[in-house]
Structure formats: C-alpha cells, structure tokens
Amino acid sequence: MHEREFRAFVSVAEIGRMDQAAKELGYSQPAISYQIKCLEQMLGTKLFTRDSTGARLTREGRMILPSARAVLTLIDGMKGVCDAA
C-alpha cells in the first residue's frame, strides 16, 4: 500500500467523484482509478460503487476510511518532523 493510494481513496470518499479527486490531487482520472483498483486488490474488497453520478463508499470503504485518514495523518506528521530537522 502506498501513500498515493490512501490519498486517492480519501479524496474520492470526500468528494464523491474520481474526476474531481484527480483534479484536486493533480493526477489524471485513469491514474486515480488505477490507485483505487490497486488498493482494492490489496485489501481484497471493493471500496466504492461507481455509476454515472460518481463514486459512493461501500460498507467496507466506510469502515476503513477512518484508518486511511489516520495513516495519512501519521505520514504527514513524519514529513513534518523531517522538514523541521
């Protein structure tokens, strides 16, 4: 699992659309889709249901969202420590 996959997951979860999450993160929409697919494969579950109106979290996606946010908080904290050194 990679930081960019967690960032993609959290962004799509918060925005509800892969294209808008891609724009916010500076990626293409196919790149965001690929990152979500990689995370889903690693976890062995679907995280979103997708349709023409966007992407909605599955039950499993809702369950891991707090953990994904916590991982990103830890990563950002470590980056902050390194930046301050």
Side-chain angles (χ1 to χ4, degrees):
M1 290 181 234
H2 301 279
E3 175 186 357
R4 66 183 172 271
E5 294 166 352
F6 286 114
R7 291 210 186 274
F9 170 69
V10 171
S11 185
V12 172
E14 290 174 350
I15 295 170
R17 295 187 52 92
M18 289 198 187
D19 57 342
Q20 292 296 323
K23 187 174 184 177
E24 179 178 297
L25 295 172
Y27 292 113
S28 66
Q29 188 275 328
I32 292 294
S33 293
Y34 178 75
Q35 290 165 1
I36 297 298
K37 180 181 174 183
C38 289
L39 189 58
E40 288 176 334
Q41 287 176 341
M42 179 64 72
L43 295 172
T45 191
K46 286 286 189 189
L47 300 173
F48 294 98
T49 57
R50 300 157 177 93
D51 60 30
S52 60
T53 64
R56 293 190 233 325
L57 287 168
T58 61
R59 182 178 68 84
E60 293 82 1
R62 286 190 302 275
M63 289 172 59
I64 71 156
L65 182 59
S67 297
R69 285 183 172 138
V71 166
L72 292 175
T73 298
L74 289 170
I75 290 170
D76 291 342
M78 287 186 286
K79 287 181 177 180
V81 167
C82 292
D83 290 343

